[in-house]
Amino acid sequence: MSDCIFCRIARGDIPAKKVIENDRFVVFHDISPLYKVHLLIVPKRHIASVNEVDAASGDALAGIFDIAREAAGKVGVAGNGYRLTVNTGRDAGQVVHHFHMHLLAGESLRPL
Ligand code: AMP
Ligand code: ZN
């Protein structure tokens, strides 16, 4: 989608502090981090939310945990641990309607 902020980052139209990029995903630092380490794992294909995931999204999302693990290793939090979170819809506080996974780490996180 041309006006979607994460599509624009995925295309390289607007800058982001990228950690990793491959053919399917881009991982970058959240612009207003809530934790010492706060990354966003974003599929390059536009999928609005988990509610829009279907059989056809399989390819776009395949390997998401591999890239999350790789990103955690790259920023040095694999050993101490990290939390992966996906907000879906209004009540969860989703504000960017392009599916993404938050990787939260770098400090002790409050239990859920
Ligand atoms: P969510 O509430 O799950 O939709 O989270 C969206 C996240 O995207 C928020 O944590 C924002 O701080 C982050 N965000 C929005 N715009 C940008 C941007 N241009 N670069 C990096 N992170 C962004
Ligand atoms: Zn998008």
Side-chain angles (χ1 to χ4, degrees):
M1 272 172 67
S2 56
D3 59 343
C4 165
I5 185 119
F6 286 177
C7 283
R8 292 171 72 195
I9 289 174
R11 283 198 303 267
D13 288 353
I14 59 171
K17 264 178 75 183
K18 287 182 188 171
V19 174
I20 315 183
E21 180 165 14
N22 67 17
D23 55 332
R24 281 203 294 269
F25 297 98
V26 58
V27 181
F28 51 91
H29 289 269
D30 196 290
I31 204 164
S32 33
L34 297 174
Y35 298 90
K36 287 192 179 138
V37 173
H38 187 167
L39 307 181
L40 298 173
I41 297 152
V42 176
K44 289 188 170 175
R45 207 173 99 201
H46 184 89
I47 299 165
S49 80
V50 171
N51 285 337
E52 281 71 37
V53 170
D54 58 17
S57 318
D59 271 359
L61 297 178
I64 192 165
F65 289 109
D66 296 319
I67 197 147
R69 189 174 58 249
E70 193 183 333
K74 198 152 180 195
V75 298
V77 300
N80 280 355
Y82 50 96
R83 181 175 292 161
L84 299 171
T85 303
V86 178
N87 295 323
T88 304
R90 185 192 55 201
D91 283 359
Q94 184 181 5
V95 295
V96 175
H97 298 284
H98 177 131
F99 173 95
H100 53 280
M101 189 178 263
H102 297 253
L103 188 158
L104 313 171
E107 58 191 285
S108 187
L109 304 173
R110 251 188 303 141
L112 287 175

